[in-house]
Amino acid sequence: MSILRRCNLKKILSAAFLPALLLAAFFAYAAQAAGAEIVIFHTNDTHGRVEGNGKDIIGIDRVAAIHKTVPYSILVDAGDALQGLAIATLGKGEDIVALMNEAGYDAMTAGNHEFDYGFERLVELEGMADFPFLAANVMKDGKPLLSVLEIIEINGVKIGIFGVTTEETEHLAMPGNVRGLTFEDPIKAARETAKSLRGQGVHVVAALCHLGVTPYEGTLSTALAREVPEIDVIIDGHSHTALENGLLENGVLIAQAGQHGDNLGKVTIILEGGRIASKTASLISCEEAWQTPPDGAVAAKLSEIKAAQDVILKEPVGEAADAMSSARAPGVRTQEMPLGSLVADAYRESAKAGLAVTNGGDIRADVTPGVITKGDILNVLPYGNKLMVKTVTPVLLAKTLENGVSGIILDEQGNIDHEKSEQGRFLHVSGFRFGYDPSAPVGKRIVSITLDDGAALSLSDNTTRFSLAGSDYLMTGGDYYTMLGELPIDRDDLAAADEALAVYIRKHSPVSAPKEGRIIIQEAKTADKRTGCKLSYGYVALVLMGAALVKMKLKAAAQK
C-alpha cells in the first residue's frame, strides 16, 4: 500500500530499519520516474449523515470500504461533518470523530458548523481524532487554533494539504462560540501556506476549503483559485454543490461532492517525473456506492453508537398529521415553509411572547406524518440553542426582516433565483405577517408588517413595543442580526429550542402544517412604505383628478 504514508517527526526510525527505508525510497523514486497515480476521496457538508439509506445518503461505512479498496488513496473532508443530526449532537461531535477514525480519514478542515459546540470543544475533538483538523486562517491570540498543514507521502508522491475556513464563520456561528477568535483572509493564509508547502518539496498542493462556489459574503473557492495558482486542487465545501466533473479555475481544479453524503467525491491525479500530468474530478453516486459492501469495522462501530443513543432518541413525543419539508432552496432558506412557521409558533408559545422569528438555517430535517420521536426533534433543531426574548419596535422589527430577505436574488425574468438566494438568515415568523419587494434595493425591501389581529404597523414607528422571541443564536447577533444583538435581554431563562418544539408538538398533537400567507411578495411601488397600507390605482387617480380640478379653479379665479 502506501510508502511513508504520513510524515511525523515524532516517529524515530532505528538503524535496524535503515535498509528497509532505503529500499522504500528506491521504489518511491522508481514510481515517480515511471509515473504515479494517486486518488483523493472527499466528502463535505455531511452534517452528521453517517448512516446510509441507499437513496441519497451513502453512509460512512461504504465511504470507508471504497477508500480502503483503492490503492494509493487518501480520504479527506471539507467541513461541516461534526454537527447536524441527533447522532452528532448527543455526543457533541465525539461519536462522529470516532467513526471518522475507524473509516481512515486522513484530514479535514473546520467548517463553520464545527464551531457550534464552542471553539474549546473543537480543540478537544481534534485531540480525539487520529487525523488533523486543518485551518490556516483561524487564529487565537495570534496563533493557529488548529493544525495548519499536513504532508502525506503515498506511492512516492508527497501531498501537501492545508485548510481554510470561511471568514463568514464570525457571523454564522453563535457569537459566544467564536469570541476571541480571528478569522483571517483565506487568500492571504492560503498563499503563505502553499508557498511553505512548495518549499518543503511537495508534488501536489491540495487545499481543503470550506468556502463554497455560490455567492456568499465571504471569499469563494473560485476567488482563491484565481489568487493562489500555487494550489493544484481545491477540495471544497460550504455551498453544498455537486460538481460532477469539477471546476477548472485558473488552472486549479475545484472539487465538491454535494451534501449529506449523497455523493463521494474522487480526484485522480497522475504524475510523471514528479510533475502533475493530469488531474480529474468525478462523483460516485449513492446508487453506485451501494454496490460496494460496507466496511465491517465501521458498520460495527456505527451500530454500537446507535444502540447506545436509541434509548434516548426513540422516546415518542407526539404525532404529525402532515409532512413538512426542510428543503433548503426552494425551501426554508428562500421562502415561507410550513415547518419554519411551526417552529416559530412553538417559540412564541413557549416564551409567551407577542411575536417570534426563526432562521431557515436552524431547520435541518423534515417532519414526516406519524409518530415524532425525540430524535426527530433533535434532527430538526440540532444546535442546542436556547430561547431568548427581547423588546423591539416596528422600526427594529423592519430592520430585522430586511436582513432576512437581503439575500434574495431575482433572475432575468424577475423570479426568485432560489439557488443564488439560499442563505440561512431567511426568517420565518409567528404572530404577524409581512410583505416585501425582492426587486427593491437591499435595505428597502420590507413593504408591510401586519399583526395577526389585522393591525398594520407603521414602519416608521419607533415607539410601540413588542416582545420578540427567538433563538439565542439570532438574539445575540448571529447570521448578521446585529440589530438584535445590540438590544438588552429581557428574558433568557427559557427552554431550549428543541424542548420548546417538543412541548408544542406534544400539546397540539397531531400537528398540522400551518396555513401559508405569512410572507407575501408585494411590490413597493403600490404601497406606502411608511404605513404598509396598499393604495389602489383608483384611489390614486381620484387624488390626481381632484388636484387637477383645484388647479383649474385657482387659475379661473386668478383670471377674474
Side-chain angles (χ1 to χ4, degrees):
M1 292 296 288
S2 64
I3 299 171
L4 292 179
R5 182 167 181 78
R6 192 182 301 276
C7 296
N8 190 332
L9 296 179
K10 294 180 180 179
K11 295 181 180 179
I12 307 299
L13 294 174
S14 68
F17 291 99
L18 185 57
L21 178 61
L22 292 173
L23 186 62
F26 170 77
F27 282 120
Y29 175 80
Q32 286 188 41
E37 179 178 302
I38 60 170
V39 173
I40 303 175
F41 288 113
H42 58 96
T43 53
N44 62 274
D45 299 289
T46 52
H47 289 284
R49 268 76 172 180
V50 289
E51 184 178 13
N53 60 11
K55 298 178 181 178
D56 54 8
I57 303 174
I58 293 173
I60 194 169
D61 48 1
R62 282 181 167 82
V63 167
I66 293 170
H67 161 50
K68 292 178 182 180
T69 54
V70 175
Y72 309 123
S73 68
I74 64 172
L75 177 60
V76 298
D77 185 89
D80 281 5
L82 307 182
Q83 169 64 286
L85 294 184
I87 192 171
T89 302
L90 279 188
K92 293 186 176 181
E94 184 172 347
D95 292 320
I96 305 300
V97 169
L99 287 166
M100 293 177 77
N101 283 341
E102 196 68 58
Y105 273 83
D106 293 282
M108 71 171 285
T109 194
N112 53 291
H113 283 292
E114 261 67 66
F115 295 86
D116 285 343
Y117 307 118
F119 74 82
E120 297 92 343
R121 177 59 173 173
L122 181 56
V123 172
E124 289 178 355
L125 291 171
E126 185 183 14
M128 300 174 191
D130 296 338
F131 53 92
F133 293 3
L134 303 175
N137 67 319
V138 182
M139 312 299 285
K140 176 74 168 67
D141 299 327
K143 299 178 181 179
L145 177 72
L146 304 167
S147 299
V148 172
L149 57 84
E150 176 82 347
I151 298 177
I152 299 174
E153 189 166 336
I154 184 170
N155 198 18
V157 177
K158 286 185 178 180
I159 310 169
I161 307 175
F162 70 93
V164 289
T165 300
T166 175
E167 65 267 50
E168 276 197 294
T169 303
E170 183 178 353
H171 304 285
L172 298 179
M174 175 85 74
N177 289 347
V178 295
R179 189 168 291 120
L181 300 184
T182 301
F183 292 84
E184 296 185 346
D185 179 9
I187 291 175
K188 181 176 181 292
R191 185 179 291 118
E192 293 174 353
T193 311
K195 182 178 179 181
S196 172
L197 286 168
R198 289 296 183 194
Q200 297 180 60
V202 302
H203 303 102
V204 178
V205 174
L208 275 179
C209 300
H210 197 77
L211 299 178
V213 295
T214 55
Y216 289 111
E217 297 196 16
T219 302
L220 300 181
S221 59
T222 46
L224 187 71
R226 288 191 297 269
E227 296 295 328
V228 191
E230 293 84 0
I231 298 171
D232 296 307
V233 177
I234 291 176
I235 306 296
D236 195 26
H238 192 44
S239 59
H240 295 219
T241 310
L243 298 175
E244 187 174 354
N245 299 117
L247 175 65
L248 199 62
E249 183 76 31
N250 194 30
V252 179
L253 180 64
I254 302 173
Q256 193 177 156
Q259 64 173 354
H260 300 169
D262 53 358
N263 300 294
L264 174 61
K266 180 181 181 182
V267 171
T268 303
I269 301 175
I270 297 175
L271 296 97
E272 295 178 359
R275 294 181 178 275
I276 296 177
S278 69
K279 50 188 177 183
T280 57
S282 60
L283 297 178
I284 299 173
S285 68
C286 182
E287 181 181 2
E288 183 181 354
W290 268 60
Q291 296 175 16
T292 299
D295 180 86
V298 179
K301 186 66 177 177
L302 179 59
S303 296
E304 175 189 328
I305 291 170
K306 281 177 52 60
Q309 292 190 354
D310 279 350
V311 176
I312 300 171
L313 299 180
K314 287 193 173 182
E315 177 187 337
V317 169
E319 293 185 10
D322 302 313
M324 287 173 265
S325 172
S326 64
R328 295 164 66 98
V332 294
R333 293 173 178 241
T334 61
Q335 65 185 29
E336 179 182 357
M337 294 289 282
L339 185 52
S341 297
L342 179 73
V343 172
D345 287 345
Y347 288 0
R348 182 162 68 101
E349 183 172 295
S350 177
K352 296 180 173 59
L355 312 174
V357 293
T358 186
N359 60 310
D362 268 1
I363 299 169
R364 292 286 168 162
D366 299 346
V367 168
T368 56
V371 176
I372 300 175
T373 66
K374 186 172 183 178
D376 296 327
I377 299 292
L378 287 175
N379 288 339
V380 174
L381 299 173
Y383 298 118
N385 295 328
K386 290 182 61 179
L387 296 187
M388 186 177 284
V389 172
K390 294 189 174 186
T391 297
V392 297
T393 63
V395 168
L396 278 170
L397 183 59
K399 287 182 179 179
T400 301
L401 297 172
E402 286 284 1
N403 184 53
V405 299
S406 63
I408 298 298
I409 297 172
L410 300 181
D411 60 22
E412 294 179 355
Q413 287 73 44
N415 301 315
I416 293 175
D417 187 323
H418 290 276
E419 182 179 353
K420 292 182 179 179
S421 300
E422 179 190 328
Q423 291 198 20
R425 71 177 78 180
F426 188 87
L427 285 181
H428 301 267
V429 303
S430 178
F432 67 100
R433 63 182 183 272
F434 70 92
Y436 80 102
D437 183 356
S439 67
V442 171
K444 297 182 179 181
R445 292 181 166 181
I446 298 302
V447 175
S448 65
I449 303 176
T450 306
L451 301 180
D452 281 355
D453 63 7
L457 303 184
S458 168
L459 304 186
S460 60
D461 181 357
N462 206 22
T463 303
T464 308
R465 298 179 178 276
F466 301 94
S467 59
L468 178 70
S471 71
D472 52 2
Y473 170 65
L474 289 188
M475 292 297 187
T476 56
D479 246 347
Y480 300 92
Y481 284 95
T482 53
M483 71 295 295
L484 295 178
E486 294 167 353
L487 297 174
I489 299 170
D490 291 348
R491 290 181 287 136
D492 63 355
D493 56 341
L494 302 170
D498 58 281
E499 291 174 358
L501 181 58
V503 169
Y504 185 87
I505 289 174
R506 185 178 294 113
K507 179 180 178 181
H508 298 280
S509 185
V511 291
S512 300
K515 292 182 179 179
E516 296 186 3
R518 302 185 187 191
I519 302 175
I520 306 162
I521 304 296
Q522 185 175 345
E523 291 185 12
K525 64 184 179 182
T526 64
D528 179 351
K529 290 187 179 182
R530 292 171 299 169
T531 65
C533 298
K534 281 192 173 182
L535 302 176
S536 69
Y537 290 112
Y539 178 80
V540 173
L542 287 172
V543 170
L544 293 174
M545 289 173 63
L549 287 171
V550 170
K551 186 176 180 180
M552 290 172 62
K553 287 182 178 181
L554 289 173
K555 184 176 180 180
Q559 291 175 347
K560 286 182 177 180

